[in-house]
Structures are given as C-alpha cells and as structure tokens.
Amino acid sequence: MKFSEMQYTRPNLDETLEALSWLRQQIETADSADAQLDLYASFDTLCRHVSTMATLAEIRHTVDTRDAFYEKEREFYDENGPVLADRQLEVYKALLASPFRGEMEQKLGSMVFEKMEIDVKSQTPEVLDLMAEENRLTTAYQKLYASAQIPFDGKVLTVSQMAPYKMNPDRAVRKAAYEAEGAWFDSHREELDELYDKLVKNRTQQARVMGYENFIPLGAIRMRRIGYTLEDMAAYRASVKRDIVPVVTRLKALQHKRTGVQDPKFYDDGFCFPQGNPAPKGTPDEILAAGRKMYEELSPETAAFIRDMFESECFDVLSKPGKAPGGYCTYLPDYKLPFIFSNFNATSDDVDVLTHEAGHAFAAWVAAKKELPAILEEAGMESCEIHSMSMEFLTGDYHHLFFGSDTDRYELAHAEDAIYFLPYGTMVDEFQHIVYANPDMTPAQRNETWAKLEKEFRPWLDFADLPFYGRGAGWQRQLHIYEIPFYYLDYCLAQTVALQFFTSFLKDKKDAWNRYLALVEKAGTVSYPGLVAAAGFDSPFQDGTMRRLGGEVADWIEAQDRTLQQADKE
C-alpha cells in the first residue's frame, strides 16, 4: 500500500482505554501462561494499531505544520498520549506480577520483561497532566521553529534552506547567512527562553512528584538505558573530553590549513575545502534514484528493502514552507513499513539522509520480518543510531553515484564530521545534566553555561560578535534539547560504534557488512552492550576505547588529506 492510501482514523479514546483495562483484568485472572500469552498478543495488536494512527498523524502534521486537521490530531495525542501510556503500563504491571512470568520469559525472552520493568518506572498517574503539558510545550517549540521565514539572498527561507549558504565558498556569504539565521532566533528570544524554562520546570516537577531529586534519573529511565549507568555515561563524556577533543583540535587546524582560512571563526567551522564543500550532483529525483541503485546493489537484503520503500512511497524529503525542521525515520506497525522524513537542501546532508535515515528504516524493516512483540522490534535509541550512523560508512563503495569526482572529498569531510560530532554531542549531554541539576537557572545562566562548555569541548571555535551564537544561545537551535532530553548522547554512543564499523570497513568490507547484519538481526532483543558485543567491537565505556579509536580515525583523515593535497598539486 502507498503511504498516500493509508487511511487515518482517530482511535476512540474511551473504547481503547476500556479495552486496555479489560486486558489487564483478564491477565490478572488468567490461570495459565498460555492464556496470558494470548492476551499479551491481543494487547500487542491493539497497541500497534494505536501507534500506527498516532504515527500517521505525526507524519502528516510534520509534513505541513499548517494543516489544521492534523494539528488538531497532534493536539489530541499530546493531550491523551500520557493517559494511553499509563493504561498500557498497567498491563505491563500485571504481566510483571504474573505467577507465570518464568514460563512467559522462556517463550518471549527476558528482555521483554526488562523493558517492561524500566517502562513502569517512567511515569505514574500523578504526572499525566504534567506530561500532557510537556507535549504541548514541545509542539509549540516545533511549530515556532518550523515557522521560521528568514529573508536572505532575495528570498524567504526556512532554517533548513539556509544550510547551503552557511557552507558557501565565499566567506562573506557564510558570515551573512549565520547572521541572518541568528537574527531570526534572536527575534524570538523571549519565546525560546520561556518555552525551555517551562519545560525544565515541568520535567523537574514530574521527577519530584515521582520521588526523584531531579529529572536526571527519570530522564535516563525514559531513555530506556539498560546495561549501563549514569556513572558510565559521565565517564564516557570525560573520555571524549580527554581523548577526543585534543584530536579534533589538531584536525581542525589541518582543515583550516586546507581551506586557507586565516583567523577562523564559527562561520568557517563547516567549510571543508577551498573549492567548496562536496555537494550531490543532480536533482532530488536523481539523488533518490541513485539511492535506490545503491541499495539494490549493496546486498540482497537491502535490495528487497528499498523496493518495498519505493513501492509504498514512504518518503517525504523535499524542503518546503510549513514543513517541520530536521529529519527522522519512523515506523508504521500495521503496515510493517518504515517512513523517512527529511528536508533536502542541496548539500551532502541529502545523501546522509539516504544513508542515515535509511539505516534506521532498514533495521525496522528487518525487525518487522521477525514477528517479534512490538517491544522487541526496536532496540534502544543508542542502538538504533548504530544502524543509521554505520550505514553512512558501509555504503562507501556507492558514494560516487552522488558525488562523482568529488567522492574522495566527501569521504574525507564525512569522516571528519563523524569524529567532530563527538565533542559537540557530549557537550549537549553535559549541558542538560547541568541544567536539570540546577532547574532554577535563569536563561542568562544557561547561556553562560553553554558558552563555558564550548570552551571546554570545542576550544577551537571563535563566535566573535555573531548574533544568537555569540551570546551562548546556540543550544536553542538543537531540537533534541527541547523535545527529547538526554537523547543526544545516544548519537555519540552510536557514533563510537559506527567509527569502529568504518575502521573495520577499511580493512575488510565483507566482514564489516556481516558484522552489521549480525547486529541488525538482533533487533531489540539485547541491550546496547550486547549489540556492541554482537558486532565484535569495543565498548565505549571500556578504558582506552576512545583513545585508540580517535587515533585510528585521525590517522586515516590525515592520510586522506595528504592524498588529496597531492592530487590537487598534480
């Protein structure tokens, strides 16, 4: 079925809540494991359908945030999602308390119950109203962000459409683009400050109502962190600061030498080559066609996957007015199909979508074939990001389809971007830990904190007198800080594994792909540490991993830079 043909009907709230309560009651009185397993299967089917309808509404809302019908539907799920989740958790509690739990674990696997145990700690009935308010606040932020209309170059552009100008070979254009974008954020300073202040206080109140000192432990629970601790995460951030920041500082000096930029500023940070950053060749349709060819040739599994994606038309990738910012992959359980959303902007990011988001989609497609309970189809977020970030590297033999003669430059820029991301991503996480440990900070204090962290994690940057960025407010551009607290470290944990896939790919491409399939085949049946082990890689929490990995990636980048410099001379 094509995405456009998928029918949306709002679930009847009362009937759904009643059905969930009935299932809980039946589970509590069932007299055998088989009876409870049958009831759990019915629960799973019901939840899949509700999730499908909510996801259809979310996709169509983000495709056009001005659509009044789907705006109302988004409001419905914002308001009632916490109530539905609470009723689902009551079913989990009944299953966890079952005298037949041991028998069910033998059939379903222990991970089902581990995930249920952590989920039931994520909310209580007392915080449902606060959760609904939190949803409304994040929706307001997303809508504000999507409303951006930035006058530039004789046009009116969205934030996504500003991206090519921020990487323009003309330094004056880059600076002007950052100034124009920063001016828009500054013009909405009060709204952005107020929204985040309310979100921090709301989440803190939820945590305190549930008996936590602050939101940090509750945030970890809601991110379903299984197999590692808050202390492990703090040690990981420290290892990035200790072992990766010096490496990136050295590589940034190499980048600036390559581009010839004197006295580099923030608006030079993403500028990789004097002739301009590699950009994909062709129209959006040609880029999509190249992506299809890439997956058709990569492996039999990806060929079947991409055929299903194109036949169902489960893409919306063109940037347009009213469209929500960013990109994502989501999943439609009733149809066993993923959906990819993005904002093409004529930069290498467009290709990254076809590798990153398609990596998510491929993993979802593989899991859907396994007939697992929904709770086991998707791994933790830090594990899902391994699927996507690793695919960016494992498709390396096909990047020429997009970049032609610029492929070698793209490979260098992509590897640089991957390791450059680690200090930024850990800084985002460190910032949130500070904010939620000190929820009464003023907006000015938050900006001061961000500016201080910039000097620790990205000491090579000079923001000069840029609007917005120069006053330490650049964090407000990061959607995850508002919408999904503590998610951003998941990208870092995943990138650490993806870079190991990269170094493995450089040595043995077939082995690297087989390791990837072994990891994807696990779906959500094991925790993040288990998935890393399944691929045969080192844990990011293991002492020495970041130091060794940073050295290996830096060695390749420096060698690739020398090769390109020599080729340019010839």
Side-chain angles (χ1 to χ4, degrees):
M1 179 178 287
K2 291 178 170 55
F3 178 75
S4 59
E5 299 168 345
M6 295 178 187
Q7 296 296 310
Y8 171 76
T9 304
R10 179 192 288 185
N12 184 297
L13 181 63
D14 291 338
E15 290 179 2
T16 303
L17 292 173
E18 185 178 339
L20 290 167
S21 292
W22 182 86
L23 285 165
R24 175 186 58 78
Q25 292 165 1
Q26 294 301 305
I27 288 169
E28 288 174 340
T29 58
D31 59 3
S32 70
D34 286 342
Q36 289 189 334
L37 286 168
D38 287 342
L39 289 162
Y40 179 59
S42 298
F43 165 79
D44 203 54
T45 299
L46 174 61
C47 292
R48 285 174 183 274
H49 180 67
V50 173
S51 175
T52 300
M53 292 302 105
T55 302
L56 279 173
E58 174 69 9
I59 293 169
R60 289 169 178 162
H61 170 72
T62 53
V63 166
D64 186 357
T65 59
R66 303 166 302 180
D67 185 308
F69 175 81
Y70 284 109
E71 182 176 8
K72 288 291 185 185
E73 296 310 289
R74 173 68 181 264
E75 291 172 358
F76 169 80
Y77 292 105
D78 283 351
E79 184 70 28
N80 297 296
V83 178
L84 285 163
D86 184 68
R87 202 63 61 90
Q88 291 170 11
L89 293 181
E90 291 300 314
V91 174
Y92 284 2
K93 290 174 184 177
L95 289 164
L96 289 169
S98 167
F100 309 109
R101 175 172 168 174
E103 293 177 61
M104 288 192 289
E105 282 193 7
Q106 289 179 3
K107 295 188 177 182
L108 296 174
S110 61
M111 184 55 67
V112 167
F113 292 89
E114 285 188 58
K115 289 183 175 182
M116 287 182 183
E117 283 175 344
I118 199 166
D119 285 353
V120 298
K121 298 175 185 176
S122 67
Q123 67 180 67
T124 63
E126 291 78 16
V127 299
L128 296 185
D129 288 343
L130 287 167
M131 293 180 74
E133 176 63 19
E134 178 188 8
N135 288 342
R136 287 191 288 271
L137 291 167
T138 58
T139 297
Y141 169 75
Q142 186 182 78
K143 190 170 184 180
L144 173 62
Y145 204 127
S147 74
Q149 297 284 281
I150 303 169
F152 195 78
D153 192 28
K155 307 169 188 174
V156 179
L157 305 172
T158 65
V159 173
S160 296
Q161 291 168 332
M162 291 294 295
Y165 295 99
K166 290 167 21 181
M167 292 181 281
N168 193 286
D170 187 330
R171 195 182 194 204
V173 172
R174 296 199 299 275
K175 181 181 180 184
Y178 273 98
E179 288 174 338
E181 181 186 81
W184 183 86
F185 280 96
D186 273 348
S187 70
H188 294 276
R189 178 175 182 170
E190 289 185 8
E191 295 163 88
L192 290 164
D193 284 343
E194 182 181 8
L195 281 170
Y196 193 63
D197 196 65
K198 287 181 177 179
L199 281 165
V200 170
K201 288 178 170 54
N202 173 292
R203 290 164 179 155
T204 299
Q205 188 177 351
Q206 289 184 49
R208 289 175 176 168
V209 168
M210 293 178 64
Y212 300 102
E213 180 183 359
N214 56 47
F215 181 69
I216 294 170
L218 179 58
I221 288 168
R222 289 183 176 174
M223 288 306 301
R224 259 196 199 161
R225 308 239 180 251
I226 298 175
Y228 57 98
T229 65
L230 287 169
E231 290 74 23
D232 290 329
M233 294 160 62
Y236 173 77
R237 294 195 302 272
S239 72
V240 169
K241 190 188 296 188
R242 181 184 64 246
D243 297 326
I244 300 297
V245 168
V247 171
V248 174
T249 302
R250 185 176 84 239
L251 293 175
K252 277 294 177 181
L254 185 69
Q255 174 190 327
H256 296 316
K257 180 180 178 182
R258 182 197 315 141
T259 58
V261 172
Q262 302 294 320
D263 188 25
K265 304 297 182 186
F266 178 61
Y267 45 82
D268 301 313
D269 194 56
F271 181 55
C272 300
F273 299 96
Q275 59 270 69
N277 287 9
K281 318 293 184 186
T283 65
D285 285 340
E286 289 170 335
I287 293 169
L288 278 173
R292 181 170 191 166
K293 178 178 172 63
M294 173 174 70
Y295 288 113
E296 285 174 344
E297 296 182 5
L298 180 60
S299 78
E301 297 90 350
T302 56
F305 151 71
I306 204 66
R307 181 177 61 248
D308 283 356
M309 290 294 289
F310 272 88
E311 287 178 355
S312 60
E313 298 177 355
C314 280
F315 296 92
D316 194 295
V317 297
L318 300 182
S319 185
K320 51 197 171 188
K323 190 173 183 179
Y328 62 78
C329 173
T330 190
Y331 179 63
L332 297 154
D334 282 356
Y335 302 99
K336 297 187 175 182
L337 284 169
F339 184 94
I340 293 174
F341 170 99
S342 185
N343 285 273
F344 273 14
N345 55 22
T347 71
S348 61
D349 289 345
D350 299 349
V351 177
D352 294 342
V353 165
L354 292 178
T355 53
H356 182 103
E357 301 302 345
H360 282 308
F362 175 64
W365 180 86
V366 169
K369 305 294 183 188
K370 293 184 169 298
E371 301 298 330
L372 294 166
I375 201 169
L376 291 183
E377 283 189 338
E378 185 176 72
M381 289 297 101
E382 76 285 83
S383 302
C384 289
E385 296 302 339
I386 297 174
H387 305 149
S388 54
M389 290 176 152
S390 301
M391 187 70 88
E392 296 177 27
F393 291 109
L394 296 172
T395 51
D397 283 346
Y398 301 92
H399 293 165
H400 68 278
L401 297 173
F402 306 100
F403 295 100
S405 60
D406 279 342
T407 301
D408 288 343
R409 287 188 174 83
Y410 169 74
E411 301 293 1
L412 175 58
H414 181 240
E416 287 180 329
D417 186 61
I419 195 167
Y420 293 170
F421 173 77
L422 293 175
Y424 174 72
T426 48
M427 176 176 69
V428 168
D429 194 63
E430 185 90 1
F431 173 74
Q432 291 179 96
H433 275 80
I434 294 170
V435 166
Y436 286 105
N438 301 276
D440 294 322
M441 293 174 83
T442 65
Q445 288 172 327
R446 292 184 189 119
N447 291 346
E448 289 167 7
T449 298
W450 182 260
K452 178 177 180 290
L453 291 173
E454 285 279 20
K455 293 177 182 177
E456 296 175 12
F457 284 90
R458 301 199 292 179
W460 59 87
L461 289 179
D462 180 352
F463 292 92
D465 57 352
L466 281 177
F468 180 57
Y469 297 100
R471 61 180 176 84
W475 59 271
Q476 293 184 320
R477 195 184 181 283
Q478 190 59 62
L479 307 176
H480 305 69
I481 293 176
Y482 281 78
E483 297 180 358
I484 319 172
F486 299 117
Y487 187 155
Y488 225 61
L489 193 73
D490 294 50
Y491 290 115
C492 300
L493 295 174
Q495 189 74 286
T496 302
V497 179
L499 286 169
Q500 292 184 75
F501 270 113
F502 172 52
T503 58
S504 176
F505 179 80
L506 294 173
K507 298 168 188 171
D508 187 332
K509 296 174 183 178
K510 184 177 180 180
D511 177 65
W513 179 252
N514 287 337
R515 287 172 183 252
Y516 181 75
L517 284 181
L519 187 149
V520 168
E521 286 285 341
K522 294 288 185 183
T525 62
V526 296
S527 64
Y528 171 80
L531 286 174
V532 177
F537 292 138
D538 294 334
S539 167
F541 307 122
Q542 183 178 322
D543 186 44
T545 294
M546 302 312 295
R547 182 169 57 255
R548 176 191 58 76
L549 185 61
E552 288 182 11
V553 175
D555 286 347
W556 184 88
I557 288 172
E558 289 166 341
Q560 182 78 344
D561 181 80
R562 287 192 297 271
T563 299
L564 288 173
Q565 294 296 326
Q566 185 61 38
D568 287 343
K569 290 177 182 177
E570 296 173 357

